[in-house]
């Protein structure tokens, strides 16, 4: 089983992360404190070996920006 992300998927994820943080102002979606992580709502295990599903799981509406406490 190969669960390594392709460079294209990694670049897409990084771009989506940067865009989400810019739009939401680095604030946690749960409590409003400073946030540092983009959390995928779709479990990674459900997208293994499916590059398109993996890429789609990084869409902003399928992710949450979270602070260390809420994550």
């Amino acid at each position: 089983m190969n669960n390594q992300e392709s460079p294209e998927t990694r670049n897409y994820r990084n771009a989506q992360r940067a865009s989400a943080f810019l739009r939401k102002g680095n604030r946690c979606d749960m409590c409003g404190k400073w946030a540092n992580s983009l959390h995928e709502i779709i479990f990674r295990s459900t997208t293994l070996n499916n590059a398109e599903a993996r890429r789609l799981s990084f869409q902003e509406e399928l992710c949450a920006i979270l602070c260390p406490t809420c994550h």
Side-chain angles (χ1 to χ4, degrees):
M1 181 184 313
N2 181 6
N3 60 4
Q4 296 295 316
E5 283 183 348
S6 69
E8 295 83 15
T9 300
R10 192 173 316 118
N11 290 340
Y12 179 78
R13 175 174 43 102
N14 289 338
Q16 288 294 98
R17 182 182 193 279
S19 178
F21 274 87
L22 280 173
R23 274 196 290 281
K24 295 186 177 190
N26 289 4
R27 295 292 173 195
C28 178
D29 287 335
M30 300 282 293
C31 70
K33 293 180 184 173
W34 177 82
N36 65 346
S37 66
L38 183 68
H39 178 75
E40 302 161 60
I41 296 170
I42 296 175
F43 290 111
R44 186 173 298 211
S45 61
T46 63
T47 62
L48 287 177
N49 300 318
N50 186 337
E52 182 63 15
R54 184 82 188 118
R55 190 179 76 76
L56 291 173
S57 73
F58 294 116
Q59 292 179 6
E60 187 175 340
E61 50 279 348
L62 298 176
C63 294
I65 293 176
L66 299 175
C67 69
T69 303
C70 292
H71 191 258

